[in-house]
Amino acid sequence: MPTQADASAHKKRTFRKFSYRGVDLEQLLDVSSEQFMDMVNCRARRKFKRGLKRKPMGLIKKLRIAKQNAPENEKPEMVKTHLRDMIIVPEMVGSVVGVYNGKTFNQVEVRPEMIGHMLAEFSITYKPVRHGRPGIGATHSSRFIPLK
Amino acid sequence: MVGHSLVASQPNQFQHILRLLNTNVDGKVNVMFALTAIKGVGRRYSNIVCKKADVDITKRAGELSTEELERIVDIIQNPLQYKIPQWFLNRQKDHTTGKYSQLVANGVDNALREDLERLKKIRSHRGIRHWWGLRVRGQHTKTTGRRGRTVGVSKKKG
């Protein structure tokens, strides 16, 4: 079952070759959907198994067009989407996607290491909390301090 | 009662502390549990490794001969060759290499660090949470996890 292509044992894929579960990028692009399902983790596999009517058809088409129109050695133009639940497929690598987080479209450049994750993971939906000074009433002890 | 009697073992030296796979293993303890001192080897894995190595389970770790120890180390590091099933291993279908293996000792720490690094590099939400030191798995953090973070109110005068 685990026979991925030859296991390229390079784990550091930043400057060395990238491999997803032992398969290189070029080979990943040729892989069929069923084989990709085997490689990916179970959440992604479930999504493919269930929704193969492919709601994201529109997104993938637009990504392809944007990639074709892009001048060489430049990033393709941003394709906006609300589809945060879209799993990143090898085909999408290299595109720039604007992922909606409720308010704005966060620009995400899809890199090969992101394969198998969902678009939503890269577009944070909340502003990280920076606590201010706790006010009166925040703890039990400070509740009955008179106002003046 | 066989396990208790040290007198019955061969005259080769009984080792009080062994060194396996970069960790110190206690010799006085039963083999199966002595091996658990190695990171990445728990009770179940240790049990099956001893069985595949044909090592008497009732023995103490210090009583094993060096070739038995070598066999054990070999099996720990190459579990698939000795017919330990894939589902038994702790690193299955590795994210970057796709291999099935059992991580031990330093490998465990390295793999953990690399996994976290990978998430952070990708700037995935999980990676960011790790970076901030917050809960990753969706727990509520309003009231729990206080040990690291303290909250306080100062008594403001008017």
Side-chain angles (χ1 to χ4, degrees):
Chain A
M1 257 212 208
T3 50
Q4 310 312 333
D6 32 329
S8 57
H10 292 279
K11 277 193 189 155
K12 300 192 167 75
R13 40 4 180 205
T14 28
F15 290 92
R16 310 232 206 131
K17 270 238 215 105
F18 162 77
S19 88
Y20 182 73
R21 314 230 186 236
V23 182
D24 295 336
L25 232 201
E26 304 92 54
Q27 290 159 335
L28 278 175
L29 290 170
D30 299 326
V31 144
S32 75
S33 338
E34 287 89 31
Q35 284 174 313
F36 186 61
M37 276 206 281
D38 277 330
M39 278 200 278
V40 105
N41 65 1
C42 72
R43 189 134 238 334
R45 211 177 311 133
R46 181 174 166 81
K47 179 155 174 72
F48 282 132
K49 188 166 177 228
R50 295 180 110 222
L52 276 184
K53 315 143 195 174
R54 287 290 185 95
K55 332 123 196 173
M57 272 273 86
L59 176 64
I60 298 193
K61 277 198 202 135
K62 277 202 186 148
L63 286 173
R64 279 194 210 134
I65 296 175
K67 247 200 196 164
Q68 281 171 354
N69 293 342
E72 274 309 311
N73 278 340
E74 266 196 39
K75 290 194 205 167
E77 49 168 313
M78 186 169 85
V79 178
K80 292 194 199 164
T81 178
H82 276 213
L83 291 171
R84 307 185 93 235
D85 58 349
M86 177 67 183
I87 304 222
I88 296 183
V89 174
E91 211 182 354
M92 297 171 156
V93 171
S95 317
V96 177
V97 191
V99 190
Y100 200 53
N101 65 359
K103 190 172 169 188
T104 41
F105 290 93
N106 278 340
Q107 263 208 4
V108 179
E109 191 215 334
V110 180
R111 289 185 278 161
E113 291 93 28
M114 295 182 179
I115 294 181
H117 292 266
M118 301 219 174
L119 283 180
E121 291 189 41
F122 306 104
S123 170
I124 209 172
T125 46
Y126 55 93
K127 193 167 161 195
V129 178
R130 306 267 169 252
H131 285 295
R133 289 204 78 206
I136 301 187
T139 27
H140 284 286
S141 52
S142 63
R143 287 234 193 110
F144 299 107
I145 300 177
L147 281 171
K148 280 241 174 92
Chain B
M1 292 309 271
V2 179
H4 288 286
S5 60
L6 294 178
V7 193
S9 63
Q10 304 100 321
N12 59 1
Q13 284 132 341
F14 176 86
Q15 303 207 20
H16 286 277
I17 292 193
L18 308 168
R19 184 120 180 122
L20 291 181
L21 287 162
N22 274 334
T23 45
N24 293 323
V25 173
D26 196 0
K28 302 183 288 268
V29 179
N30 198 314
V31 193
M32 212 173 72
F33 294 97
L35 292 180
T36 53
I38 305 173
K39 249 192 180 181
V41 172
R43 298 190 286 184
R44 195 112 146 78
Y45 193 66
S46 166
N47 189 319
I48 198 171
V49 163
C50 287
K51 284 190 179 161
K52 295 284 181 194
D54 290 323
V55 166
D56 188 7
I57 289 195
T58 49
K59 279 192 183 178
R60 303 276 148 170
E63 290 176 23
L64 298 181
S65 61
T66 27
E67 55 155 73
E68 283 177 326
L69 286 175
E70 274 180 24
R71 244 187 303 157
I72 287 185
V73 170
D74 201 30
I75 297 182
I76 290 182
Q77 292 182 315
N78 304 311
L80 294 174
Q81 285 174 5
Y82 291 89
K83 283 186 94 189
I84 291 183
Q86 280 163 5
W87 46 261
F88 217 94
L89 307 176
N90 62 11
R91 187 86 169 161
Q92 300 184 16
K93 215 204 287 184
D94 182 76
H95 194 271
T96 35
T97 64
K99 288 198 206 158
Y100 286 71
S101 64
Q102 178 81 10
L103 294 172
V104 257
N106 304 339
V108 163
D109 303 314
N110 284 341
L112 178 63
R113 205 172 13 99
E114 277 178 14
D115 285 339
L116 294 183
E117 280 300 313
R118 184 174 52 85
L119 290 173
K120 287 180 198 168
K121 270 221 164 77
I122 296 183
R123 317 213 117 247
S124 114
H125 187 225
R126 273 172 69 198
I128 299 180
R129 295 291 284 196
H130 274 297
W131 199 334
W132 288 334
L134 295 174
R135 297 287 147 147
V136 183
R137 294 189 176 178
Q139 296 99 325
H140 285 214
T141 48
K142 182 171 176 183
T143 49
T144 56
R146 292 283 177 98
R147 201 145 166 266
R149 301 157 174 273
T150 30
V151 186
V153 190
S154 59
K155 283 213 164 72
K156 285 197 253 193
K157 297 267 167 167

